[in-house]
Amino acid sequence: PPTDWDGLFYHLTGPKLYLQAGRILPGINIPHLNFPGLLEMVFMLAMALRGDVAAKLMHFGFAPLLAALVYLTAKTHLRVAKSWLAVAILFSMPMVWTLATWAYNDLALAFFELAALYFLMESTQHPLPNPPPARGREKKFSLPGGERELILSGLFCGLAMSLKYTSVVGAITLGGLLLWHLWKHRAGWRPAIRAVGQFTVPAVLVAAPWYIKSRVFTGNPVYPFVFGGRYWDAFRAAAYSGSGTGLGFNPVAILTLPYTLTLGIKDANYIDGRTGPLFLAFLPMLLAYGVFRYRRKAMPKALDGLLIFALAQFLFWLAGVIFSAGLWQSRLLLPALAALTPALAWLVSDSFHLSRPQFSLQRFLMMFIGVVLALGLVDQLFNNQINSRSGWLYYRPLSHLVGPESRGHYLSRRLPGHYPAIEQLNAALPAEAVVAFLWEPRSYYCRLDCRPDSILDEYGHLQYLYGPNAAAIAQAWRAQGITHVLVFRLGLNLLLTEPGLAPEIRPDPTVLNTLEANYMEELFDVQGAYQIYRLK
């Protein structure tokens, strides 16, 4: 059963609400439900047919798809004899194993973006047939590349843009690579327009429905960015962006980013942010080949495309973490890392020329990859670090899958405090209750009308609207039909001590104390983590 944060926050919550309503409806104050929602619709179909476990399986399916794609990229475009090395490097990343078991969309995004790049590179290697001469004049230029592959590249780019706004950097990079290729081969303006259209039109047609839907529901096609929209104002924009909380322009911190990424110590979520050591270990070789053009004649043409694509993704991510701590999420780099895996496999294969009779560098690197995979397996089995507890033996899934443990008991064990609180709330409150959540974005298991605190700004936003006036806040809740309030006490305590937070979401509990004393009646407390109140 699902226990992952974003799955319980919106990836599964949106489909659940749509299925309950019998339609995809606006008016839900969860901003992320107005992001491009391709995979949420796949989840909804799976949930309608079988349930939420089937929805998780849909995302899991992109792990073998992505593995097959990196293998194919290494074999087709880089001519790597041992293309399985690319798959080994991909699965050396703990984040891949973790994300595969969650109802997220990161593996799907990496697959679609790498597929778009794969077919774009394919299109530049197979010339199109010459079109008929224009107005009787002989055509001097035949556009390199295949039309079918270029259209497929656009289709996969559109699918990527149907998942996350961050896919825009991939689309821009692919467009730039196409334009560079046309300029390099001195394409005439007609073939160039034809090629750009073959890429752009499919991408726009596939992605457009999600942006049109957002425009209709919220008034903003890229909600909530740039133009604001429904339920959005300057306070929420500042709270969500967290501007000024990132690394800043600290040269030492920026230069040591690859090392910090490998450790995962600064990631917003350590569990899904670990890249593994292979990328850091191979970075010097990658720089030697990619930047200094070492063994230039031996380099496949596709290597440039893979490195440029990965670099563009990294620079975009770097710009985000410089300004906002909330964007320090290594999983957002997964498309770049997936694109690097075939390149690293080629580096290992090409290292044979550095081998000597006394020492085989290639064999040593392959043994190193094997050791990393073995240690990764041990980590997946036993990892039980504080605040992560991501090891398979800690999860004990077999006790539920083939043993006597019930779904409810498994969820209570995996979501201590949260699931028991929601279940008690479902059982104790009347069916017509409307529950406002404070510092708790996850509402998937709530069977009542629950209003989650989507970006942890609800408390601060109430004070922004009504000032430090507990009576006015209580009255505003009543006007919205709120009958009960759930307070995630551990979440509040964490925000009180967490460094680097945007001031908009750093709470001052003074008004909450007044609300609890005068306008709220505590009904029950669950493990000291959650309190449920009745609004007087």
Side-chain angles (χ1 to χ4, degrees):
T3 58
D4 46 277
W5 186 277
D6 281 6
L8 303 186
F9 165 30
Y10 75 100
H11 286 304
L12 297 176
T13 300
K16 181 196 79 168
L17 296 175
Y18 299 152
L19 288 171
Q20 287 176 348
R23 63 191 180 98
I24 301 170
L25 73 166
I28 303 172
N29 189 9
I30 300 177
H32 298 62
L33 295 186
N34 291 298
F35 291 1
L38 172 62
L39 212 61
E40 283 73 26
M41 297 300 99
V42 177
F43 290 163
M44 184 171 70
L45 176 61
M47 292 166 68
L49 294 174
R50 189 64 179 87
D52 50 23
V53 176
K56 290 178 59 181
L57 187 62
M58 303 307 293
H59 186 238
F60 176 86
F62 281 97
L65 285 174
L66 183 58
L69 184 58
V70 300
Y71 177 91
L72 193 62
T73 303
K75 186 177 182 64
T76 304
H77 290 300
L78 301 183
R79 308 299 179 190
V80 178
K82 298 182 172 101
S83 297
W84 58 266
L85 283 170
V87 179
I89 294 170
L90 176 72
F91 285 121
S92 75
M93 291 190 285
M95 74 161 68
V96 172
W97 296 95
T98 300
L99 291 170
T101 65
W102 290 356
Y104 278 34
N105 60 12
D106 298 272
L107 290 174
L109 179 67
F111 174 78
F112 290 142
E113 290 205 40
L114 185 57
L117 178 60
Y118 174 90
F119 283 111
L120 181 65
M121 294 189 298
E122 189 80 8
S123 73
T124 64
Q125 296 179 10
H126 304 284
L128 291 171
N130 284 321
R135 298 181 181 180
R137 290 177 293 179
E138 184 179 354
K139 198 70 175 175
K140 296 182 179 179
F141 175 77
S142 175
L143 178 66
E147 291 186 345
R148 184 180 70 92
E149 288 81 3
L150 200 54
I151 292 171
L152 283 171
S153 178
L155 288 171
F156 278 110
C157 184
L159 289 170
M161 291 192 295
S162 302
L163 290 174
K164 280 184 185 286
Y165 289 134
T166 54
S167 63
V168 66
V169 66
I172 293 172
T173 305
L174 293 169
L177 289 172
L178 176 60
L179 292 175
W180 166 255
H181 182 75
L182 295 171
W183 179 85
K184 183 179 177 181
H185 288 272
R186 301 294 189 268
W189 66 270
R190 285 182 179 174
I193 291 176
R194 179 181 177 87
V196 171
Q198 287 171 341
F199 173 79
T200 305
V201 171
V204 171
L205 289 178
V206 169
W210 306 107
Y211 298 85
I212 294 171
K213 173 233 175 198
S214 183
R215 174 67 176 83
V216 172
F217 279 14
T218 69
N220 179 0
V222 289
Y223 182 85
F225 305 106
V226 185
F227 309 110
R230 191 174 188 179
Y231 302 122
W232 208 253
D233 54 29
F235 178 91
R236 301 201 77 190
Y240 189 66
S241 68
S243 182
T245 62
L247 284 180
F249 293 96
N250 183 336
V252 175
I254 292 173
L255 289 174
T256 56
L257 263 178
Y259 175 72
T260 313
L261 273 171
T262 302
L263 295 179
I265 54 177
K266 284 187 174 291
D267 203 279
N269 187 359
Y270 168 80
I271 302 176
D272 61 26
R274 293 174 295 156
T275 62
L278 290 185
F279 293 92
L280 180 65
F282 291 145
L283 186 60
M285 285 182 68
L286 193 63
L287 291 173
Y289 276 91
V291 177
F292 302 109
R293 316 303 290 171
Y294 176 62
R295 282 177 57 81
R296 183 171 185 172
K297 292 182 180 179
M299 294 174 64
K301 292 181 180 180
L303 192 61
D304 282 344
L306 291 167
L307 296 181
I308 291 170
F309 181 83
L311 179 62
Q313 299 270 356
F314 175 77
L315 292 176
F316 180 77
W317 179 84
L318 174 61
V321 301
I322 284 175
F323 291 102
S324 175
L327 290 175
W328 188 298
Q329 300 182 55
S330 302
R331 62 186 173 88
L332 299 179
L333 277 174
L334 188 56
L337 298 172
L340 283 178
T341 54
L344 295 183
W346 179 83
L347 286 175
V348 175
S349 296
D350 192 60
S351 64
F352 74 91
H353 73 278
L354 296 173
S355 298
R356 296 293 180 266
Q358 301 84 0
F359 176 74
S360 171
L361 178 61
Q362 186 182 61
R363 185 174 297 175
F364 173 79
L365 293 176
M366 292 175 66
M367 289 175 60
F368 177 59
I369 293 173
V371 169
V372 169
L373 287 171
L375 293 176
L377 177 60
V378 173
D379 176 74
Q380 291 295 317
L381 288 173
F382 295 101
N383 189 343
N384 192 25
Q385 297 187 27
I386 296 173
N387 295 327
S388 70
R389 294 179 296 185
S390 57
W392 186 77
L393 294 179
Y394 167 77
Y395 286 168
R396 302 200 311 275
L398 293 181
S399 63
H400 168 64
L401 293 174
V402 298
E405 187 176 35
S406 67
R407 176 183 170 100
H409 187 274
Y410 175 84
L411 287 169
S412 296
R413 175 167 61 83
R414 287 294 318 282
L415 297 170
H418 176 79
Y419 186 75
I422 297 297
E423 281 297 279
Q424 189 166 348
L425 180 149
N426 291 330
L429 302 190
E432 64 275 10
V434 179
V435 188
F437 285 15
L438 292 179
W439 302 290
E440 176 55 84
R442 299 166 294 175
S443 61
Y444 175 71
Y445 288 112
C446 181
R447 296 191 292 272
L448 305 173
D449 185 354
C450 292
R451 313 284 176 85
D453 190 352
S454 299
I455 58 174
L456 305 178
D457 72 330
E458 186 65 27
Y459 178 74
H461 192 235
L462 288 168
Q463 293 187 67
Y464 170 78
L465 294 175
Y466 306 106
N469 187 331
I473 292 173
Q475 181 57 37
W477 270 338
R478 296 189 198 100
Q480 297 170 25
I482 302 296
T483 60
H484 296 80
V485 179
L486 177 145
V487 176
F488 182 23
R489 190 69 56 179
L490 293 184
L492 167 61
N493 294 339
L494 178 63
L495 293 181
L496 289 173
T497 59
E498 185 74 14
L501 289 177
E504 289 80 8
I505 63 173
R506 185 176 295 284
D508 176 0
T510 305
V511 177
L512 178 64
N513 294 336
T514 305
L515 283 167
E516 291 175 332
N518 301 319
Y519 301 97
M520 296 157 62
E521 175 190 356
E522 183 175 329
L523 298 181
F524 50 88
D525 179 293
V526 179
Q527 301 177 14
Y530 290 87
Q531 290 87 44
I532 288 81
Y533 298 87
R534 181 182 64 82
L535 188 63
K536 295 180 181 177

